[in-house]
Amino acid sequence: MTKFDFVLLAAGQGKRLRPITNSYPKTMVRILDKPLLEWIVEGIVTNFGDSLGKIIIVVGFEKHKITEYFQKHRHAQKIVFVEQKEQKGTADAVLQAQKVAQSPFFFVFNADTFFDPKFFELIKKNADSRPFIVTKREEDASAYGVVEVEGGNLVGLIEKPADAKNKLISTGTLFMPITFFDYLKNVKISKRNEYEITDALLEFAKSQKLRVLEFDGYWTDVGYYWNYLSASEYALQNLMESKIEGKVEDFVVVKGKLHVGKGSVVKSGTYIEGNVFIGENTIVGPSAYLRKGVVIEDNCHIGNSTEVKSSIIMHNSNAAHLSYIGDSIICENVNFGAGTKIANLKFDHSAIAIKQEAGKVVSGRDKLGAVIGKNTKTGINVSINCGIMIGENCKISPAAYVYNNLENDAVFKG
């Protein structure tokens, strides 16, 4: 039986996801309390079984966060780590796997993406001796490179074209012969000062047919925090199973799907519209209101009269009294003073934009709250505007109105 190696690119930090990724690689961002990288690893093992060779994870930024996690994983014996010591681009990252890859054909995945498990069915069905790339059709592909196709094969790649409506973009998933490493070695450094895998693909396609497959299910690049929210909402709706391992007290209303982890308690008077994921050793209520699209991880407290909607609240964070959290991401060990509220809608209902180092980025969402870095604390009655990014270890004084981004370690008095 032919075996296939899998190269998972996990060396980057993910600067667009800061402050979430200040302290760990983007591939370790969690969906339903499980890292993106783990979703891919488990999908590979489940779908390829006896035809699986090695899972080669290319690490770099905060590499120990990945290696320590997967060295304890149930599939650890199938995993090999290689390091990209400098961030020199995707061609260089894949090339690091050459020293350990052995199968005649291998897959490449960008491990900072999230997709429906049916994705694996598509690539398994087409894994023969004919190389391919996997694409996804986007209504607005202006932020991506667009794939040009003739006769079902790759003929070109256009970066951010003028006409970007309803175009195919690359998902970053490839199925290539081991000879593709020779093409990667010959890539020249680009204007971005990186070795681009697209250059190797175009050169390969000049001499050999490179099939273009289209995946019509859910797929997203978890680039910005609203992509992260979208992925979480999809998983809650389509991948989470209802399960009660903790305790749900009397007089709790539950609609939709609900997962409650071990040691967690949902207290009386709480209203849950679902779909909602609650991790382990977390307390919700009494009289909390959880609307659809909510993930609350382990060791959290969402208390009396706090409302949460379409948000992710990470480990050890608390909003114990009278808060509103909408369309937001709250990182680890954050504490909200009573009455802290996050806005998620503009008066004119226009798309909310965020400010980053590279400039303003429009989210395309009319409802979008804030992202708050780990170890940040707010005083009572703090108000946070929509589209705000607050760094790690910040302290926000009582009654302050936060209307601009805050850097790490900021002390904001309003």
Side-chain angles (χ1 to χ4, degrees):
M1 176 182 291
T2 302
K3 292 195 174 185
F4 305 115
D5 291 334
F6 289 77
V7 180
L8 310 185
L9 305 184
Q13 178 181 4
K15 294 180 179 179
R16 294 178 300 169
L17 261 185
R18 290 174 176 170
I20 301 166
T21 53
N22 278 354
S23 302
Y24 50 82
K26 183 165 71 165
T27 58
M28 294 301 285
V29 164
R30 298 180 294 273
I31 300 290
L32 303 184
D33 210 13
K34 182 165 69 175
L36 292 171
L37 186 52
E38 187 174 9
W39 283 95
I40 295 176
V41 167
E42 292 189 347
I44 291 169
V45 174
T46 299
N47 286 274
F48 283 83
D50 293 338
S51 61
L52 169 60
K54 299 176 183 175
I55 297 174
I56 304 166
I57 302 180
V58 184
V59 297
F61 174 76
E62 293 285 337
K63 63 180 181 180
H64 68 282
K65 300 280 179 70
I66 296 175
T67 57
E68 290 174 4
Y69 185 91
F70 283 97
Q71 282 168 353
K72 301 174 184 176
H73 197 270
R74 61 194 176 103
H75 300 310
Q77 73 279 3
K78 302 179 185 296
I79 297 172
V80 178
F81 301 99
V82 296
E83 183 178 2
Q84 185 187 29
K85 294 184 178 179
E86 297 181 58
Q87 304 298 300
K88 293 182 178 180
T90 48
D92 179 72
V94 177
L95 195 55
Q96 304 311 309
Q98 184 180 22
K99 64 194 79 169
V100 295
Q102 294 178 330
S103 63
F105 285 83
F106 66 96
F107 288 91
V108 177
F109 279 80
N110 282 340
D112 55 3
T113 59
F114 187 76
F115 42 82
D116 188 283
K118 291 180 181 177
F119 191 91
F120 291 104
E121 297 176 12
L122 174 68
I123 64 171
K124 184 177 181 179
K125 177 182 177 182
N126 286 276
D128 49 34
S129 60
R130 297 173 298 162
F132 62 74
I133 68 170
V134 184
T135 63
K136 170 70 179 170
R137 192 168 297 277
E138 287 284 333
E139 291 183 10
D140 180 8
S142 58
Y144 301 94
V146 169
V147 177
E148 291 186 301
V149 185
E150 285 184 8
N153 298 313
L154 176 75
V155 294
L157 292 163
I158 304 174
E159 189 67 25
K160 300 178 181 179
D163 179 14
K165 293 183 178 179
N166 194 32
K167 300 292 184 180
L168 290 176
I169 65 166
S170 173
T171 64
T173 298
L174 318 173
F175 178 67
M176 304 298 291
I178 199 164
T179 53
F180 185 59
F181 286 119
D182 295 330
Y183 290 84
L184 295 170
K185 290 176 183 177
N186 293 323
V187 170
K188 307 298 182 184
I189 199 160
S190 70
K191 293 179 181 179
R192 298 196 305 173
N193 203 35
E194 292 186 352
Y195 296 97
E196 312 275 2
I197 198 169
T198 51
D199 293 341
L201 290 170
L202 290 172
E203 196 62 31
F204 182 90
K206 288 179 182 178
S207 58
Q208 304 183 55
K209 289 183 178 181
L210 182 55
R211 290 182 293 161
V212 176
L213 306 182
E214 181 178 348
F215 179 60
D216 60 4
Y218 180 83
W219 175 93
T220 186
D221 167 22
V222 185
Y224 295 99
Y225 74 94
W226 52 88
N227 304 131
Y228 186 12
L229 290 171
S230 169
S232 179
E233 290 164 3
Y234 182 85
L236 284 163
Q237 176 65 35
N238 298 281
L239 306 179
M240 184 188 77
E241 296 182 359
S242 293
K243 181 186 291 187
I244 308 298
E245 297 180 304
K247 181 178 181 180
V248 177
E249 293 184 349
D250 294 338
F251 308 110
V252 172
V253 175
V254 178
K255 298 182 178 180
K257 295 192 292 183
L258 174 64
H259 173 105
V260 180
K262 296 176 181 178
S264 291
V265 179
V266 181
K267 293 190 173 183
S268 182
T270 295
Y271 195 101
I272 299 175
E273 290 184 347
N275 303 309
V276 167
F277 176 96
I278 299 170
E280 297 182 356
N281 302 312
T282 283
I283 297 173
V284 175
S287 301
Y289 179 24
L290 305 184
R291 296 165 64 183
K292 68 176 182 178
V294 171
V295 171
I296 305 168
E297 295 184 342
D298 302 347
N299 304 307
C300 295
H301 182 195
I302 303 302
N304 178 48
S305 298
T306 290
E307 178 180 348
V308 187
K309 175 227 174 226
S310 300
S311 294
I312 300 168
I313 299 173
M314 297 185 185
H315 299 159
N316 305 303
S317 290
N318 304 304
H321 318 280
L322 307 166
S323 291
Y324 176 74
I325 302 169
D327 302 272
S328 297
I329 297 174
I330 313 303
C331 293
E332 296 89 345
N333 198 37
V334 170
N335 190 77
F336 278 8
T340 294
K341 296 177 176 64
I342 301 174
N344 65 338
L345 181 68
K346 296 169 68 174
F347 286 154
D348 62 2
H349 290 239
S350 61
I352 294 166
I354 63 169
K355 296 177 183 177
Q356 292 198 322
E357 291 179 8
K360 185 179 289 188
V361 182
V362 179
S363 69
R365 293 174 61 131
D366 62 351
K367 290 188 177 181
L368 183 66
V371 54
I372 299 178
K374 71 178 186 179
N375 302 324
T376 286
K377 316 295 180 189
T378 75
I380 64 170
N381 296 323
V382 166
S383 298
I384 301 170
N385 204 8
C386 48
I388 294 297
M389 297 188 296
I390 296 173
E392 297 180 348
N393 306 308
C394 294
K395 293 180 174 61
I396 303 173
S397 296
Y401 167 49
V402 183
Y403 53 89
N404 275 322
N405 295 344
L406 298 180
E407 298 294 329
N408 292 341
D409 305 306
V411 178
F412 185 72
K413 298 183 178 180

